[in-house]
Structure formats: structure tokens, C-alpha cells
């Protein structure tokens, strides 16, 4: 079959082309400095030298590649020479462990293909390819090719069915996800054997095997509209999405529309069945119908690996389809589920994050490595932000992220355009964009209008824009632009009352404002013994709720944004309740710092913080000295950045 390569509708920003400021930029910088660049390489490399993993239960094999693929994103956007040198040396140190047959992994020959082995080989490939993209070092690419060739010799047409090996419980999902780097390797080398192997992997999904009598059927089941929890016979959320990321890359390589359609259908199922209010889903690590369970008595605890992979999957679909809903999803996940899982100074991550309880820093899953899957996954989601913040379409720049930033975009004819964005969003909805083309040129600037933003205003050089500015679309401004032209956008940041999703077992509500989920925190809303049961705030016919900014409460309690809402009392009176943004809620990361998103009706402030909040994931708590058990790690935020 001849390949019919498909170009992205929206091109991601070039490395280093988008620079973020403000609170979000400060959090991203702190995470890169205090987590990514401080990783102890020797602790990640030792398992590859010793090759002492056996059986089904170990996954040290993923750690180096996860770190490297995240660090490559950071190195591309902050290309300090010391970071480039570190990346190159890290790759060369890993390659020094490569066997004569090309294998880079943590197992001896007799234990190849067992457990998480191929999953780990996938991450080695992703890490090597990411560092190759930053450094251009052909030695690294050659090692990646030898790694892939070794796998082909074992799982190619004459070898094992890749969908029927590995860890039995997950029925071939983890090894199948190696599709992604194999397709990426083809894109970089144009060697047809890698395209053929990628197609072979997908063909294995439709073959019956000893674990799956009908096969994994990842393409067929998604196209048939099966809920995510029923696809493939194994509802492992993060590994499943990783397989569909591979389908997206294979679609780019060979143009088989079924692959993109299957990925889009899976995403639709996630939106409908699994996505919670904070922009991620799953319970622990598996699909579970979390959307309908998120405000029930049984807790839903979201894995950070799932959040990061959902964001990576949305990034794939945003590029391939140009649909703004995926940028909306990225924004919601970023501001809520992802930032909520990031520790105060950016040095650590939560493994599981609930919608109520307290923030729990991840344990180190392997003491010798000193890290966990989620601590290394979180940066891979966060460091994507500059790549989708400002993108390029056929007509010109596409602005997805509203944040203080500068961006440089090159038009199809080669003209460089610099954009300067000034805003304190999401504190307010006012955004100013200054346009600086290298010379006057006609092109389009597309501005994402979020799906929740009903009332919008747009002006160019002070003149009201008369075109379409509709929620859930891009507003497209096409004109001849000159240096100094300005765009003013006002988004709708009224509060929104969110009722419990259909099928939820309880009567409860939550509040949102723009992309932010709001939460109660016991510091801003302590228990009140004299409080009568409260009801929901009054809402307008369109569901909007009056919220009042409370900067004094935000300063006093070390949160980013705080807002007051008036809740109705059964007798007809009102009571002021202070909420904060979800990412700041519980930011002491201790049992003394409790929060909750979904609020039962009636809401009794006398018992709102009593025992019974879901905290079953406490057993995953870290014991690191820099993430202590009790609250001495508050995270005050200010408009100029973050500090811990």
C-alpha cells in the first residue's frame, strides 16, 4: 500500500517560538528548573546497565524515556547550552547500555517481551527521538533505529503477536503503544520497514489471541462507538490513549482515514463517559464511567499519567482536525487537573488527585529510582503548553492560549510575525494582542473563542469587529496587518453553575469561572457550627452566577484567585461563601488542608469538613523530605509568578 501522507491542519509552534509569562509561565519555569533539570541520571540508568528486571510487575524501564521526552520539550523551548549538553550526554549514556542486537532495556534476553518490557522500549524510543530532534545528533538516531530493528526481529511478521505479550492483565495494550515511536521513526528516516512494522502492529489488533478471542479491536470498537471502558477488553486509560496517539502518527504517515476517525471517536467517548469537571478522567488508572461518578459517594481519584496523556492526545487531534474543542479541553486540563497535581515549587507531582479530600504527593514507586510514573509524566503534559499556545494555520497565526506571552510565527510566504499578548486572564477576560509583522502583509489571525464564552467583544485598532465571534469556534480576522496593529478581545468570565452530570447518584453542584473549576477550601471556608443547611446560589436563566473577586482572601491564604458567591438559605436569606481556583485548593499538601469541588444539596457547613471525605489513596503518599507529611509547603501565587 502506498503511503498518502497527511499534513496537520494546525502546525504546532516551533521550539522556542512561544514564551509564556505570568502565573502560568512562572509555574512552568519552576517545574522545569526544580524537577526536569534536577533529575538524577544515574538512578534512571542503573536498571539498563544491570538488566535485572524479570517477571510481569516492574516498570523501571519507562522512567528514562519519560524523563527524556519531557526534557527534550524543555530543551527545545529553553535551549540553554548546558541543557542541550545534558540531553546529549544522557542519550549517549543510555546508548552505552545497548546490546549487540540493538536492544536497550532492563531485561536479559530470556526475559524479553515479558511484563512491561516493550512498553519500556517504547519510552526509550520516544526519549531518543525527542533528544535527536533537539540535538540533530545522528548517533542518537542510529541507536533508535537499532532499538526498533531489535523489536522488529522479535515482533515482526515472523515473530510474536505484539498484542498478545506483556503484562497479562492489560491484554496487550502497553506493548501495542510502541506504534507511536515506530511511526515517528518512519517520519524521520523514511525507511519503509518502519511504516510496514507500524501497519503490522495495527493488523495484530484485529487478530484473535490467547487473551482476546476477538483481538484488541481498537480501531473497530472505537468506530463502533463503544465506551472507552469497553474497548479492547482492558480499560487501562493511559495505555489505551497511547495506542491512539500512535494511530494519529500512523495516519500522518500513510493517510488511512480509519485511523483518524477511530481516534476522534475514542475522544468523543472520553468526553461523554469519562471526563470530569477538572478536565481529566479515570479512577486510579482505569476508565470507569468517571463523568457520571464524579460527585458520588465513591471517590474518583485521577492518575496524573492519565491527565498528561489525555492532553497529549488532545494535542494530536487539535493538530490533525483544527477543531477548537481540543484546545478548550487542553486549557481545562491545564488549569485544573494538571496544575492541581503539581507540587508547590514544581519539584514533585501527585500520583492520584481527587475532587475532594487533600493533595497527596506521589510515593516513589521504586526506591532505587526515587521517582514514579506520574512524577515523570506530569512534565510531558505541561511542557506541551507553548506548542499549542500559539499555532499556525493555512491563513496565519492561531491563538489558543490567553496568557502573557510573546510568539513568533512564520507565514507560508516566509514573512515573520511577532505577537505580544497582554492579559491577566483568567483573573479577567480582557486580552490585548499587538501584531508586529516584519513587513505589511495580508494574513489571518484566528482567536479561539472558548465553548463556555457566550458574551464576547472583539475589536481591531479600536474598531468593533463585525464578523462571527461565536463560542466554540475560532474568530478569524483577515486583513492587511502592519506593525503596531492591536486586537482587543473580551471573553465572558461570568460564573457558571454546574449541576451534577446525568446519571449521578447525588444532588450536588459545582461552580466554574472561565476555564477554572472553583473549590471550597477549609482555610477560606471553615466549618461553621451555626450554619443552617444551604442551597445553590441563584443563577440566571443561562446558568450564570454572580461571583465577586476577593483578592484579600487570596493573599491571606496563599491562593491564586478567590471569589465570593452568595448561597441561598432555606429560610430565604443568603450567606457569603468564598471559593478558590481548584489548583490552589488544598495547596498546603497536607491533611490539614482540605478541599472539595462538588457540593451536596443541602450543604451543611457544620459538617462539610468532617471525616468521610474520600482519601483512600493516602497509602500512595510520598515520604520525601522535600514533600513532607504535614503542611509546611504552602504555595503562594502572585501575578508575577509562583513561589514555594
Amino acid at each position: 500500500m502506498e503511503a498518502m501522507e497527511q499534513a496537520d491542519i494546525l502546525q504546532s509552534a516551533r521550539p522556542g517560538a512561544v514564551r509564556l509569562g505570568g502565573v502560568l509561565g512562572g509555574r512552568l519555569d519552576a517545574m522545569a528548573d526544580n524537577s526536569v533539570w534536577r533529575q538524577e541520571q544515574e538512578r534512571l540508568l542503573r536498571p539498563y546497565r544491570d538488566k535485572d528486571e524479570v517477571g510481569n510487575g516492574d516498570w523501571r524501564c519507562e522512567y528514562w524515556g519519560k524523563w527524556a521526552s519531557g526534557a527534550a520539550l524543555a530543551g527545545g523551548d529553553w535551549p540553554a547550552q548546558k541543557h542541550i549538553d545534558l540531553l546529549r550526554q544522557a542519550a549517549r549514556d543510555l546508548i552505552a547500555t545497548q546490546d549487540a542486537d540493538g536492544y536497550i532495556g532492563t531485561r536479559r534476553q530470556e526475559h524479553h517481551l515479558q511484563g512491561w518490557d516493550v512498553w519500556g522500549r517504547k519510552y526509550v524510543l520516544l526519549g531518543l527521538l525527542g533528544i535527536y530532534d533537539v540535538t540533530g545528533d545522528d548517533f542518537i538516531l542510529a541507536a533508535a533505529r537499532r532499538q526498533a530493528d531489535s523489536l522488529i526481529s522479535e515482533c515482526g511478521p515472523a515473530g510474536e503477536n505484539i498484542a498478545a505479550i506483556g503484562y497479562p492483565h492489560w491484554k496487550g495494550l502497553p506493548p501495542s503503544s510502541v506504534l507511536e515511536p515506530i511511526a515517528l521513526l518512519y517520519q524521520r528516516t523514511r525507511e519503509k520497514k518502519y511504516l510496514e512494522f507500524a501497519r503490522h502492529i495495527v493488523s495484530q489488533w484485529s487478530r484473535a489471541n490467547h487473551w482476546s478471542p476477538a483481538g484488541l479491536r481498537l480501531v473497530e470498537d472505537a468506530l463502533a462507538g463503544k465506551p472507552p471502558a469497553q474497548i479492547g477488553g482492558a480499560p487501562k486509560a493511559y495505555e489505551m490513549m497511547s495506542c491512539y496517539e500512535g494511530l494519529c502518527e500512523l495516519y500522518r504517515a500513510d493517510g488511512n482515514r480509519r485511523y483518524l476517525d477511530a481516534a476522534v471517536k475514542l475522544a468523543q467517548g472520553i468526553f461523554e463517559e469519562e471526563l470530569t469537571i477538572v478536565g481529566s478522567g479515570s479512577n486510579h488508572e482505569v476508565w470507569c464511567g468517571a463523568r457520571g461518578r464524579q460527585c458520588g459517594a465513591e471517590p474518583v481519584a485521577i492518575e496524573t499519567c492519565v491527565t498528561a496523556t489525555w492532553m497529549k492526545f488532545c494535542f494530536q487531534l487539535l493538530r490533525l482536525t483544527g477543531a477548537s474543542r481540543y484546545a478548550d479541553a487542553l486549557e481545562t486540563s491545564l488549569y485544573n487537573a494538571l496544575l492541581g497535581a503539581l507540587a508547590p515549587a514544581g519539584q514533585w507531582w501527585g500520583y492520584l488527585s481527587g475532587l475532594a479530600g487533600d493533595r497527596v504527593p506521589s510515593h516513589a514507586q521504586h526506591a532505587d529510582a526515587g521517582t514514579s510514573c506520574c512524577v515523570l509524566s506530569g512534565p510531558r503534559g505541561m511542557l506541551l503548553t507553548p506548542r499549542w499556545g500559539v499555532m499556525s494555520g493555512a491563513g496565519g497565526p492561531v491563538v489558543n492560549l490567553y496568557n502573557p506571552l510573546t510568539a513568533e510565527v512564520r507565514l507560508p510566504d516566509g514573512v515573520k510575525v511577532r505577537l505580544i499578548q497582554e492579559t491577566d486572564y483568567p483573573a479577567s477576560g480582557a486580552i490585548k494582542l499587538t501584531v508586529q509583522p516584519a513587513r505589511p502583509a495580508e494574513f489571518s489571525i484566528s482567536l479561539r473563542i472558548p465553548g463556555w464564552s457566550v458574551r464576547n467583544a472583539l475589536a481591531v485598532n479600536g474598531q468593533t469587529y463585525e464578523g462571527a465571534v461565536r463560542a466554540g469556534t475560532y474568530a478569524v480576522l483577515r486583513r492587511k496587518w502592519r506593525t503596531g496593529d492591536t486586537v482587543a478581545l473580551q471573553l465572558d468570565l461570568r460564573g457558571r453553575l454546574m449541576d451534577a452530570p446525568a446519571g449521578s447518584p447525588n444532588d450536588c453542584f459545582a461552580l466554574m469561572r472561565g476555564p477554572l473549576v472553583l473549590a471550597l477550601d477549609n482555610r477560606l471556608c471553615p466549618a461553621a457550627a451555626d450554619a443552617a443547611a444551604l442551597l445553590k446560589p441563584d443563577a440566571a436563566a443561562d446558568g450564570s452566577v454572580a461571583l465577586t473577586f476577593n483578592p484579600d482572601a487570596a493573599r491571606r491564604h496563599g491562593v491564586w484567585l478567590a471569589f465570593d458567591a452568595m448561597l441561598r438559605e432555606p429560610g430565604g436569606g443568603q450567606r457569603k461563601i468564598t471559593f478558590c481556583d481548584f489548583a490552589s485548593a488544598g495547596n498546603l499538601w497536607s491533611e490539614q488542608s482540605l478541599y472539595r469541588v462538588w457540593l451536596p444539596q443541602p450543604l451543611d457547613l457544620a459538617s462539610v469538613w468532617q471525616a468521610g471525605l474520600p482519601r483512600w489513596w493516602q497509602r500512595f503518599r510520598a515520604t520525601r523530605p522535600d514533600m513532607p507529611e504535614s503542611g509546611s509547603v504552602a504555595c503562594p501565587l502572585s501575578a508575577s509568578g509562583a513561589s514555594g
Side-chain angles (χ1 to χ4, degrees):
M1 183 191 304
E2 287 297 319
M4 299 289 291
E5 296 184 15
Q6 298 294 317
D8 288 340
I9 291 176
L10 297 183
Q11 301 288 329
S12 63
R14 292 176 294 102
V18 177
R19 302 292 297 171
L20 304 181
V23 170
L24 181 58
R27 293 286 273 162
L28 197 152
D29 289 346
M31 187 273 302
D33 289 341
N34 295 332
S35 175
V36 174
W37 299 123
R38 293 190 182 185
Q39 177 61 52
E40 296 177 55
Q41 289 298 306
E42 180 57 32
R43 301 183 80 169
L44 301 185
L45 287 168
R46 187 205 60 78
Y48 297 91
R49 295 194 183 107
D50 293 351
K51 293 183 169 51
D52 57 358
E53 289 188 350
V54 297
N56 289 319
D58 229 331
W59 56 92
R60 288 175 180 83
C61 53
E62 72 174 31
Y63 288 161
W64 183 90
K66 278 190 172 181
W67 169 81
S69 54
L73 288 170
D77 282 321
W78 294 268
Q81 190 58 51
K82 64 179 180 180
H83 295 153
I84 304 303
D85 292 343
L86 188 157
L87 288 170
R88 181 179 284 108
Q89 189 60 52
R92 287 179 171 264
D93 288 344
L94 181 78
I95 294 167
T97 73
Q98 191 163 32
D99 290 347
D101 65 357
Y103 173 80
I104 303 177
T106 57
R107 297 169 186 262
R108 295 184 176 91
Q109 178 68 45
E110 61 269 27
H111 299 298
H112 282 196
L113 307 185
Q114 295 178 4
W116 296 92
D117 179 44
V118 178
W119 173 257
R121 297 196 218 185
K122 174 192 81 169
Y123 275 110
V124 165
L125 283 168
L126 288 173
L128 290 176
L129 291 173
I131 295 176
Y132 166 73
D133 288 345
V134 173
T135 64
D137 190 334
D138 288 335
F139 178 77
I140 296 171
L141 182 61
R145 290 163 67 176
R146 294 195 302 275
Q147 168 83 328
D149 293 346
S150 172
L151 181 61
I152 292 171
S153 72
E154 294 178 293
C155 293
E160 297 284 341
N161 180 351
I162 202 167
I165 61 173
Y167 188 65
H169 194 61
W170 303 125
K171 299 184 179 179
L173 281 177
S176 292
S177 69
V178 78
L179 173 64
E180 180 187 4
I182 296 298
L184 289 170
L185 189 59
Y186 168 72
Q187 293 172 22
R188 282 150 182 76
T189 65
R190 291 298 187 266
E191 289 194 45
K192 286 198 172 182
K193 64 180 176 181
Y194 301 127
L195 178 58
E196 291 166 357
F197 184 46
R199 290 169 171 165
H200 175 72
I201 292 170
V202 175
S203 74
Q204 299 303 289
W205 299 351
S206 300
R207 282 186 56 193
N209 63 61
H210 57 279
W211 290 335
S212 304
L216 277 175
R217 295 179 58 81
L218 297 182
V219 175
E220 296 92 338
D221 283 358
L223 291 174
K226 282 192 174 184
Q230 297 178 21
I231 290 176
K236 192 72 158 66
Y238 143 48
E239 286 79 355
M240 182 184 293
M241 286 188 290
S242 297
C243 291
Y244 288 86
E245 285 188 89
L247 278 182
C248 290
E249 295 296 356
L250 182 54
Y251 170 71
R252 288 190 180 92
D254 81 354
N256 187 330
R257 181 72 192 195
R258 281 169 54 85
Y259 301 157
L260 177 59
D261 290 344
V264 169
K265 289 283 280 187
L266 176 70
Q268 182 62 30
I270 294 170
F271 279 117
E272 293 175 355
E273 302 286 341
E274 300 293 344
L275 215 59
T276 69
I277 192 172
V278 296
S280 187
S282 80
N283 190 32
H284 200 279
E285 302 168 353
V286 299
W287 298 132
C288 64
R291 184 175 186 274
R293 294 173 54 184
Q294 60 186 303
C295 52
E298 182 181 351
V300 170
I302 299 165
E303 188 192 27
T304 297
C305 285
V306 174
T307 301
T309 308
W310 167 243
M311 294 177 71
K312 290 166 70 262
F313 187 34
C314 286
F315 181 52
Q316 292 274 13
L317 293 176
L318 176 61
R319 292 154 61 197
L320 285 169
T321 70
S324 64
R325 73 177 307 191
Y326 300 114
D328 285 0
L330 280 162
E331 179 184 52
T332 301
S333 300
L334 174 66
Y335 278 116
N336 299 289
L338 195 68
L339 280 179
L342 179 62
Q347 79 279 28
W348 202 247
W349 293 79
Y351 173 30
L352 299 173
S353 299
L355 303 183
D358 63 329
R359 304 284 183 197
V360 178
S362 176
H363 61 311
Q365 291 170 316
H366 297 94
D368 56 348
T371 190
S372 77
C373 57
C374 291
V375 169
L376 296 171
S377 280
R380 301 171 70 231
M382 195 164 179
L383 289 164
L384 282 177
T385 307
R387 306 299 173 95
W388 60 265
V390 179
M391 303 175 77
S392 297
V398 178
V399 180
N400 288 311
L401 182 69
Y402 299 116
N403 188 78
L405 61 78
T406 60
E408 186 178 276
V409 176
R410 191 181 298 272
L411 301 177
D413 63 2
V415 174
K416 291 182 180 179
V417 178
R418 179 177 168 83
L419 302 176
I420 302 171
Q421 190 164 262
E422 300 169 85
T423 182
D424 64 350
Y425 176 94
S428 79
I431 297 116
K432 178 184 177 183
L433 190 69
T434 302
V435 186
Q436 297 179 340
R439 60 172 173 77
E442 182 176 345
F443 56 91
S444 298
I445 297 178
S446 298
L447 303 172
R448 179 180 64 92
I449 308 301
W452 44 260
S453 189
V454 178
R455 299 178 182 175
N456 307 288
L458 184 58
V460 179
N461 293 335
Q463 299 296 310
T464 300
Y465 175 69
E466 301 297 340
V469 189
R470 296 192 300 269
T473 65
Y474 286 101
V476 181
L477 309 176
R478 186 164 187 87
R479 66 193 303 273
K480 189 169 187 176
W481 298 92
R482 293 175 171 81
T483 292
D485 286 344
T486 60
V487 177
L489 174 64
Q490 180 69 46
L491 295 176
D492 185 357
L493 288 186
R494 292 176 297 165
R496 306 193 306 284
L497 181 67
M498 313 299 291
D499 284 316
S504 297
N506 295 326
D507 181 17
C508 52
F509 76 94
L511 290 178
M512 292 191 72
R513 183 180 183 272
L516 300 178
V517 174
L518 302 184
L520 287 188
D521 182 291
N522 65 347
R523 296 165 296 170
L524 286 80
C525 181
D530 62 340
L534 303 175
L535 303 175
K536 296 177 183 178
D538 288 317
D542 60 3
S544 63
V545 174
L547 296 174
T548 303
F549 185 43
N550 189 335
D552 180 62
R555 283 192 297 269
R556 281 188 290 112
H557 298 291
V559 302
W560 181 11
L561 296 170
F563 301 93
D564 296 331
M566 302 301 296
L567 271 65
R568 291 179 287 115
E569 295 177 326
Q574 289 190 319
R575 186 184 186 102
K576 183 177 73 173
I577 305 293
T578 302
F579 293 77
C580 69
D581 63 288
F582 175 78
S584 295
N587 65 3
L588 294 181
W589 286 68
S590 80
E591 297 178 33
Q592 287 74 49
S593 181
L594 302 177
Y595 67 93
R596 62 189 309 162
V597 169
W598 289 104
L599 306 179
Q601 290 293 285
L603 172 63
D604 187 352
L605 291 186
S607 61
V608 67
W609 304 118
Q610 287 180 3
L613 286 179
R615 288 166 52 213
W616 56 267
W617 55 90
Q618 288 284 0
R619 63 182 179 271
F620 298 111
R621 179 178 291 278
T623 56
R624 290 167 53 98
D626 57 342
M627 285 303 298
E629 292 287 342
S630 59
S632 59
V633 287
C635 181
L637 292 170
S638 69
S640 62
S643 61

